[in-house]
Coordinates of all heavy atoms in Angstrom, one line a residue:
L162 N 131.8 42.3 129.7 CA 133.2 42.1 129.4 C 133.9 43.3 128.8 O 135.0 43.7 129.2 CB 133.4 40.9 128.4 CG 134.8 40.5 128.1 CD1 135.5 40.0 129.3 CD2 134.8 39.4 127.0
R163 N 133.2 44.0 127.9 CA 133.8 45.2 127.4 C 134.0 46.3 128.4 O 135.0 47.0 128.4 CB 132.8 45.8 126.3 CG 132.9 44.9 125.0 CD 131.8 45.4 124.0 NE 131.8 44.7 122.8 CZ 130.9 44.7 121.8 NH1 129.8 45.5 122.0 NH2 131.0 44.0 120.7
S164 N 133.0 46.4 129.4 CA 133.2 47.3 130.4 C 134.4 47.0 131.4 O 135.1 47.9 131.8 CB 131.9 47.3 131.3 OG 132.0 48.2 132.4
M165 N 134.5 45.7 131.7 CA 135.6 45.3 132.6 C 137.0 45.5 131.9 O 138.0 45.7 132.6 CB 135.4 43.8 133.0 CG 134.4 43.6 134.0 SD 134.4 41.8 134.5 CE 134.0 41.0 133.0
T166 N 137.1 45.3 130.6 CA 138.4 45.3 129.9 C 138.6 46.5 129.0 O 139.5 46.5 128.2 CB 138.5 44.0 129.0 OG1 137.5 44.1 128.0 CG2 138.3 42.8 129.9
R167 N 137.8 47.6 129.2 CA 137.9 48.8 128.4 C 137.8 48.5 127.0 O 138.5 49.1 126.1 CB 139.2 49.5 128.8 CG 139.4 49.9 130.2 CD 140.8 50.5 130.5 NE 141.0 50.6 131.9 CZ 142.2 50.9 132.5 NH1 143.3 51.1 131.7 NH2 142.3 51.1 133.8
G168 N 137.0 47.6 126.6 CA 136.7 47.3 125.2 C 137.7 46.3 124.6 O 137.7 46.1 123.4
L169 N 138.7 45.8 125.4 CA 139.8 45.0 124.9 C 139.5 43.5 125.0 O 140.2 42.7 124.4 CB 141.1 45.3 125.6 CG 141.5 46.8 125.4 CD1 142.8 47.0 126.3 CD2 141.8 47.1 124.0
G170 N 138.5 43.1 125.7 CA 138.2 41.7 125.8 C 137.2 41.1 124.8 O 136.3 41.9 124.4
E171 N 137.3 39.9 124.5 CA 136.3 39.2 123.6 C 136.2 37.8 124.0 O 137.1 37.2 124.6 CB 136.7 39.4 122.1 CG 138.1 38.8 121.8 CD 138.5 39.0 120.4 OE1 138.0 40.0 119.8 OE2 139.3 38.2 119.9
F172 N 135.1 37.1 123.6 CA 134.9 35.7 123.9 C 134.1 35.0 122.8 O 133.4 35.6 122.0 CB 134.2 35.6 125.3 CG 132.7 35.9 125.3 CD1 131.8 34.8 125.1 CD2 132.2 37.2 125.3 CE1 130.4 35.1 125.1 CE2 130.9 37.4 125.3 CZ 130.0 36.4 125.2
T173 N 134.3 33.7 122.8 CA 133.5 32.8 121.9 C 132.7 31.9 122.8 O 133.1 31.6 124.0 CB 134.4 32.0 120.9 OG1 135.3 31.2 121.7 CG2 135.2 33.0 120.0
M174 N 131.7 31.3 122.3 CA 130.8 30.5 123.0 C 130.2 29.4 122.2 O 129.7 29.7 121.0 CB 129.7 31.3 123.7 CG 128.7 30.6 124.5 SD 127.6 31.7 125.5 CE 126.7 32.4 124.1
E175 N 130.1 28.2 122.7 CA 129.5 27.1 121.9 C 128.8 26.1 122.9 O 129.3 26.0 124.1 CB 130.4 26.3 121.0 CG 131.5 25.6 121.7 CD 132.4 24.9 120.7 OE1 132.5 25.3 119.5 OE2 133.1 24.0 121.2
F176 N 127.8 25.4 122.5 CA 127.1 24.5 123.4 C 128.0 23.4 123.8 O 128.8 22.8 123.0 CB 125.9 23.9 122.6 CG 125.1 22.8 123.4 CD1 124.3 23.2 124.5 CD2 125.4 21.5 123.1 CE1 123.7 22.2 125.2 CE2 124.7 20.5 123.9 CZ 123.9 20.9 124.9
K177 N 127.9 23.0 125.1 CA 128.7 21.9 125.6 C 127.8 20.7 126.1 O 128.0 19.6 125.6 CB 129.5 22.4 126.8 CG 130.4 21.3 127.4 CD 131.2 21.9 128.6 CE 132.2 20.8 129.1 NZ 133.0 21.3 130.3
K178 N 126.8 21.0 126.9 CA 126.0 19.9 127.5 C 124.8 20.4 128.2 O 124.7 21.6 128.4 CB 126.9 19.1 128.5 CG 127.4 20.0 129.7 CD 128.2 19.2 130.6 CE 128.7 20.1 131.8 NZ 129.6 19.4 132.7
Y179 N 124.0 19.5 128.6 CA 122.8 19.8 129.5 C 123.2 19.4 130.9 O 123.8 18.3 131.1 CB 121.6 19.1 129.1 CG 120.9 19.7 127.8 CD1 121.0 19.0 126.6 CD2 120.3 20.9 127.9 CE1 120.4 19.5 125.5 CE2 119.7 21.5 126.7 CZ 119.7 20.8 125.5 OH 119.2 21.3 124.4
E180 N 122.8 20.2 131.9 CA 123.0 19.9 133.3 C 121.6 20.1 134.0 O 120.8 20.9 133.6 CB 124.0 20.7 133.9 CG 125.5 20.4 133.5 CD 126.0 19.2 134.2 OE1 125.3 18.6 135.0 OE2 127.2 18.9 133.9
A181 N 121.5 19.4 135.1 CA 120.3 19.6 135.9 C 120.1 21.0 136.4 O 121.1 21.6 136.9 CB 120.3 18.6 137.1
L182 N 118.9 21.5 136.3 CA 118.7 22.9 136.8 C 118.7 22.9 138.3 O 118.3 21.9 139.0 CB 117.3 23.3 136.3 CG 117.0 24.8 136.3 CD1 117.9 25.6 135.4 CD2 115.5 25.0 135.8
E183 N 119.1 24.0 138.9 CA 119.0 24.1 140.3 C 117.6 24.0 140.8 O 116.7 24.4 140.2 CB 119.7 25.5 140.8 CG 121.2 25.5 140.6 CD 121.8 26.8 141.1 OE1 121.1 27.8 141.3 OE2 123.0 26.8 141.5
T184 N 117.4 23.4 142.0 CA 116.1 23.1 142.5 C 115.2 24.3 142.6 O 114.0 24.2 142.2 CB 116.2 22.5 143.9 OG1 117.0 21.3 143.9 CG2 114.8 22.1 144.5
A185 N 115.7 25.4 143.0 CA 114.8 26.7 143.2 C 114.4 27.1 141.8 O 113.2 27.5 141.6 CB 115.6 27.8 143.9
D186 N 115.3 27.1 140.8 CA 114.9 27.5 139.4 C 113.9 26.5 138.8 O 113.0 26.9 138.1 CB 116.1 27.6 138.6 CG 117.0 28.7 139.0 OD1 116.5 29.7 139.5 OD2 118.3 28.6 138.7
E187 N 114.1 25.2 139.1 CA 113.2 24.2 138.6 C 111.8 24.4 139.2 O 110.8 24.3 138.4 CB 113.7 22.8 139.0 CG 112.8 21.7 138.4 CD 113.3 20.3 138.8 OE1 113.1 19.9 140.0 OE2 113.9 19.6 137.9
N188 N 111.7 24.6 140.5 CA 110.4 24.9 141.1 C 109.7 26.1 140.5 O 108.5 26.1 140.3 CB 110.6 25.0 142.6 CG 110.9 23.7 143.3 OD1 110.7 22.6 142.7 ND2 111.5 23.8 144.5
D189 N 110.5 27.1 140.2 CA 109.9 28.3 139.6 C 109.3 28.0 138.2 O 108.2 28.5 137.9 CB 111.0 29.4 139.4 CG 111.3 30.1 140.8 OD1 110.6 29.9 141.7 OD2 112.4 30.7 140.8
L190 N 110.0 27.2 137.4 CA 109.6 26.8 136.1 C 108.3 26.0 136.2 O 107.4 26.2 135.4 CB 110.6 26.1 135.3 CG 111.8 26.9 134.7 CD1 112.8 25.9 134.1 CD2 111.3 27.9 133.8
I191 N 108.3 25.1 137.1 CA 107.1 24.2 137.3 C 105.9 25.1 137.7 O 104.8 24.9 137.1 CB 107.3 23.2 138.4 CG1 108.4 22.2 137.9 CG2 106.0 22.4 138.8 CD1 108.8 21.2 139.0
S192 N 106.1 26.0 138.6 CA 104.9 26.9 139.0 C 104.5 27.8 137.8 O 103.2 27.9 137.6 CB 105.4 27.9 140.1 OG 105.7 27.1 141.3
L193 N 105.4 28.3 137.0 CA 105.0 29.1 135.9 C 104.2 28.3 134.9 O 103.2 28.7 134.3 CB 106.3 29.7 135.2 CG 106.9 30.9 135.9 CD1 108.3 31.2 135.2 CD2 106.0 32.1 135.9
Y194 N 104.7 27.0 134.6 CA 104.0 26.1 133.7 C 102.6 25.8 134.1 O 101.7 25.8 133.4 CB 104.8 24.9 133.5 CG 104.2 23.8 132.6 CD1 103.7 24.2 131.3 CD2 104.1 22.5 133.0 CE1 103.1 23.2 130.5 CE2 103.5 21.6 132.2 CZ 103.0 21.9 131.0 OH 102.4 21.0 130.2
R195 N 102.4 25.5 135.4 CA 101.1 25.1 135.9 C 100.2 26.3 136.0 O 98.9 26.1 136.1 CB 101.3 24.5 137.3 CG 102.0 23.1 137.1 CD 102.1 22.3 138.4 NE 102.6 21.0 138.2 CZ 102.9 20.1 139.1 NH1 102.7 20.4 140.4 NH2 103.4 18.9 138.8
D196 N 100.7 27.5 135.9 CA 99.8 28.7 135.9 C 99.5 29.1 134.4 O 98.7 30.0 134.2 CB 100.5 29.9 136.5 CG 100.4 29.8 138.1 OD1 99.6 29.0 138.6 OD2 101.3 30.4 138.7
S197 N 100.1 28.4 133.4 CA 100.0 28.8 132.0 C 98.7 28.2 131.4 O 98.1 27.3 131.9 CB 101.2 28.2 131.2 OG 101.1 26.8 131.1
D198 N 98.3 28.9 130.4 CA 97.1 28.5 129.6 C 97.3 27.1 129.0 O 96.4 26.3 128.9 CB 96.7 29.5 128.5 CG 96.2 30.8 129.1 OD1 95.8 30.8 130.3 OD2 96.3 31.8 128.4
Q199 N 98.5 26.9 128.6 CA 98.8 25.6 128.0 C 98.6 24.4 128.9 O 97.9 23.4 128.6 CB 100.3 25.5 127.6 CG 100.8 24.2 127.0 CD 102.3 24.1 126.8 OE1 103.0 25.1 127.0 NE2 102.8 23.0 126.5
Y200 N 99.0 24.5 130.2 CA 98.8 23.5 131.1 C 97.4 23.3 131.5 O 96.8 22.2 131.6 CB 99.6 23.8 132.4 CG 99.5 22.8 133.5 CD1 100.2 21.6 133.4 CD2 98.7 23.0 134.6 CE1 100.1 20.6 134.4 CE2 98.6 22.0 135.6 CZ 99.3 20.9 135.5 OH 99.2 19.9 136.5
K201 N 96.7 24.5 131.7 CA 95.3 24.4 132.1 C 94.4 23.8 131.0 O 93.5 23.0 131.2 CB 94.7 25.8 132.4 CG 95.4 26.4 133.7 CD 95.0 27.8 133.9 CE 95.7 28.4 135.1 NZ 95.4 29.8 135.3
K202 N 94.8 24.1 129.7 CA 94.1 23.5 128.6 C 94.2 22.0 128.6 O 93.3 21.2 128.3 CB 94.5 24.1 127.3 CG 93.8 23.6 126.0 CD 94.3 24.2 124.8 CE 93.6 23.7 123.6 NZ 94.1 24.4 122.3
Q203 N 95.5 21.5 128.8 CA 95.7 20.1 128.8 C 95.0 19.4 130.0 O 94.4 18.3 129.8 CB 97.2 19.8 129.0 CG 98.0 20.1 127.8 CD 99.5 19.8 128.0 OE1 99.9 19.4 129.0 NE2 100.3 20.1 127.0
Q204 N 94.9 20.0 131.1 CA 94.2 19.5 132.3 C 92.7 19.4 132.1 O 92.0 18.5 132.6 CB 94.5 20.3 133.5 CG 96.0 20.2 134.0 CD 96.4 18.8 134.2 OE1 95.9 18.1 135.1 NE2 97.4 18.3 133.5
S205 N 92.2 20.3 131.3 CA 90.7 20.3 131.1 C 90.3 19.4 130.0 O 89.1 19.1 129.8 CB 90.3 21.8 130.8 OG 90.8 22.2 129.6
S206 N 91.2 18.9 129.2 CA 90.9 18.0 128.1 C 90.6 16.6 128.6 O 91.0 16.3 129.7 CB 92.0 18.0 127.0 OG 93.1 17.3 127.5
E207 N 90.0 15.8 127.8 CA 89.7 14.5 128.2 C 90.9 13.7 128.5 O 90.9 12.8 129.4 CB 88.9 13.8 127.0 CG 88.5 12.4 127.4 CD 87.7 11.7 126.2 OE1 87.6 12.4 125.2 OE2 87.4 10.5 126.4
F208 N 92.0 13.9 127.8 CA 93.2 13.1 128.0 C 94.4 13.9 128.6 O 95.5 13.5 128.5 CB 93.7 12.6 126.6 CG 92.6 11.8 125.9 CD1 92.0 12.3 124.8 CD2 92.2 10.6 126.4 CE1 91.0 11.6 124.2 CE2 91.3 9.8 125.8 CZ 90.6 10.3 124.7
G209 N 94.1 15.0 129.3 CA 95.1 15.9 129.8 C 95.9 15.2 130.9 O 95.4 14.5 131.7

Side-chain angles (χ1 to χ4, degrees):
L162 182 63
R163 287 174 179 168
S164 175
M165 286 188 296
T166 63
R167 300 173 190 170
L169 300 175
E171 58 183 26
F172 75 96
T173 59
M174 180 172 68
E175 63 180 22
F176 174 78
K177 182 180 182 181
K178 60 183 178 180
Y179 286 107
E180 288 281 1
L182 198 61
E183 291 186 334
T184 302
D186 291 336
E187 181 181 78
N188 289 338
D189 287 343
L190 283 179
I191 292 172
S192 295
L193 284 172
Y194 175 53
R195 291 184 176 176
D196 285 338
S197 70
D198 291 340
Q199 175 189 353
Y200 180 79
K201 292 174 182 176
K202 182 178 180 181
Q203 288 179 2
Q204 294 303 300
S205 64
S206 71
E207 181 183 359
F208 302 110

